[in-house]
Amino acid sequence: MKDYFKRQIELWGEEIQNSLIDKKIAIIGCGGLGSSVAIALGASGIGEIYLVDFDKVSLHNIHRQIAFKMDDEGKYKAEVLAKLIENRCPYVKALAFNESFDEFKKRALNYDLIIDCTDNLKSREKIDEFSKEIKIPWIYGSVEEFNAQVCFFDKSSFKAFKITDRKPAGIAAPIVMMAASFEANLAIRYLTGLPIKKDYLYYLYFEEDGDLIINKFHMPL
């Protein structure tokens, strides 16, 4: 185990690395964001990862959902992702839940953090309400075209967003990985006790001339 996590132990020490094995997280959505977030945090040594998604792999998913291959089409996303995580890191337990968030939240499970990797505002509103109810923070992430938004929700409310049924338009694969990396970095810093900025919405986008802009907004309570 020391050899596997050698470079992380050099970063924050063996005690903190060992503490991660006791951490549990719930990732809601196992598509583009969920694939990348789960792989990153699984390889970091999070002890238990609950993967929640009722959907199956479709051909049009694969270009941006890095956990899946062509022959995974038709399989449950959560199951494929769980197997991949455990194959990459034998110190991690990944559990697949082929169900909606509404079903999952009824389970008597404890976890330290919820990570949103869904693709619609109504699901995120439900995650926010549930996180406030159980007093567990959550990380929001969304992508569209070449844009991304990420926020660590602690005390602020997701109700600041206008909740609609709108689905994201076209998506470039690299922006999915960028947003997922941001979410995973916030998660790992929080779980290791490193400081993070809570209740700030980060909005990342490319201007017409290709310049990457990152804006930050304080979310209202």
Side-chain angles (χ1 to χ4, degrees), residues 146-197:
F146 289 98
N147 311 319
Q149 297 180 45
V150 175
C151 180
F152 188 105
F153 277 93
D154 184 23
K155 294 182 173 59
S156 60
S157 172
F158 195 71
K159 293 186 184 301
F161 285 84
K162 182 180 179 181
I163 309 300
T164 68
D165 287 323
R166 183 181 179 278
K167 298 287 186 180
I171 301 172
I175 197 68
V176 177
M177 298 176 193
M178 182 182 290
S181 177
F182 203 153
E183 285 191 279
N185 272 285
L186 287 176
I188 201 70
R189 288 183 66 86
Y190 173 73
L191 295 169
T192 55
L194 293 171
I196 57 169
K197 205 78 171 174

Side-chain angles (χ1 to χ4, degrees), residues 56-200:
K56 295 180 180 180
V57 179
S58 297
L59 185 62
H60 66 85
N61 300 143
I62 298 171
H63 89 280
R64 69 189 184 283
Q65 299 182 8
I66 63 172
F68 311 127
K69 308 181 298 298
M70 295 288 284
D71 59 1
D72 290 323
E73 187 176 8
K75 299 177 184 177
Y76 281 107
K77 293 180 180 180
E79 291 182 359
V80 175
L81 185 54
K83 184 177 180 180
L84 174 60
I85 291 170
E86 290 190 348
N87 284 342
R88 283 180 53 84
C89 184
Y91 312 105
V92 170
K93 185 176 182 181
L95 301 174
F97 296 88
N98 304 320
E99 59 193 20
S100 68
F101 176 67
D102 284 331
E103 295 171 304
F104 174 77
K105 70 181 183 181
K106 296 175 185 176
R107 294 179 176 273
L109 295 170
N110 296 314
Y111 28 87
D112 302 284
L113 182 66
I114 302 172
I115 305 177
D116 158 55
C117 296
T118 63
D119 63 356
N120 66 89
L121 293 169
K122 293 202 169 190
S123 293
R124 291 161 181 145
E125 183 181 35
K126 291 179 181 179
I127 293 171
D128 183 58
E129 290 173 351
F130 182 65
S131 77
K132 301 296 188 293
E133 178 185 326
I134 64 173
K135 296 180 171 55
I136 295 294
W138 70 288
I139 299 175
Y140 155 67
S142 71
V143 291
E144 183 173 24
E145 299 177 347
F146 289 98
N147 311 319
Q149 297 180 45
V150 175
C151 180
F152 188 105
F153 277 93
D154 184 23
K155 294 182 173 59
S156 60
S157 172
F158 195 71
K159 293 186 184 301
F161 285 84
K162 182 180 179 181
I163 309 300
T164 68
D165 287 323
R166 183 181 179 278
K167 298 287 186 180
I171 301 172
I175 197 68
V176 177
M177 298 176 193
M178 182 182 290
S181 177
F182 203 153
E183 285 191 279
N185 272 285
L186 287 176
I188 201 70
R189 288 183 66 86
Y190 173 73
L191 295 169
T192 55
L194 293 171
I196 57 169
K197 205 78 171 174
K198 299 178 180 179
D199 298 316
Y200 275 81

Side-chain angles (χ1 to χ4, degrees), residues 2 17 67 94 99 113 143 148 151 154 174 201-202 204 211:
K2 286 184 181 180
Q17 183 62 52
E99 59 193 20
L113 182 66
V143 291
C151 180
D154 184 23
L201 177 70
Y202 293 88
L204 299 76
D211 189 19

Side-chain angles (χ1 to χ4, degrees), residues 29-49:
C30 297
L33 288 172
S35 292
S36 296
V37 168
I39 290 171
L41 295 179
S44 298
I46 305 301
E48 277 190 32
I49 300 177

